[in-house]
Amino acid sequence: MSVIVGFVPTAQGRAAVAAGIEEARRRGTRLVVVNSMQGDERSERFVALRDALEELRRELAASGVEHRVHDYARGNSPAEDLVAAVAAEDGELIVLGLRKRTPVGKLVMGSNAQEILLAAPVPVLAVKAAGEGDW
């Protein structure tokens, strides 16, 4: 069994990883962190993520939790990659970091979190970054 975490290099992404580490410890399972973006591995955005992913790998190693990190830039949506990870990694829980968005922001940019919530075959734990307070 494993806990699947959707990661982005933001305060919300770091909150999701912290909650995922806690859940993996509590459950005695492996942690699988998935960074998913549409695009090409040679894109500037993907290259910029390399530093954040290296920092993440160091944090996970220091946590002592058994883990894997997958970083994808293959054209799938984050929801598709997280749902695929649940199947491939025997996932029992997905952990996501959420941020507040305006209704217009949701309309224009869509909502990965909503897509994941609707597609997830397992429970989803949604967390906020520290200091975000009430919405």
Side-chain angles (χ1 to χ4, degrees):
M1 301 298 275
S2 61
V3 172
I4 311 295
V5 175
F7 175 74
V8 290
T10 63
Q12 294 81 16
R14 289 184 287 281
V17 170
I21 289 169
E22 184 178 317
E23 282 294 322
R25 278 191 184 127
R26 189 175 68 75
R27 295 166 184 260
T29 62
R30 174 182 51 232
L31 180 68
V32 178
V33 179
V34 177
N35 176 65
S36 173
M37 61 177 277
Q38 294 177 322
D40 185 299
E41 288 187 3
R42 296 171 303 237
S43 73
E44 287 181 37
R45 184 174 171 213
F46 192 85
V47 171
L49 285 174
R50 292 289 180 203
D51 289 341
L53 290 170
E54 284 308 311
E55 182 180 327
L56 171 67
R57 286 182 173 93
R58 287 190 294 273
E59 177 185 345
L60 292 172
S63 77
V65 171
E66 180 186 351
H67 64 276
R68 293 185 188 162
V69 177
H70 300 290
D71 53 322
Y72 299 123
R74 57 186 184 187
N76 291 345
S77 73
E80 291 169 322
D81 282 335
L82 284 171
V83 169
V86 168
E89 300 284 351
D90 194 23
E92 63 180 302
L93 175 73
I94 295 174
V95 182
L96 301 176
L98 294 182
R99 65 184 169 102
K100 185 175 182 178
R101 296 182 75 169
T102 66
V104 173
K106 289 181 219 173
L107 178 65
V108 173
M109 299 299 291
S111 174
N112 286 323
Q114 181 177 352
E115 188 179 345
I116 292 163
L117 287 167
L118 294 173
V122 296
V124 177
L125 172 62
V127 298
K128 296 188 285 185
E132 289 194 333
D134 294 332
W135 289 359

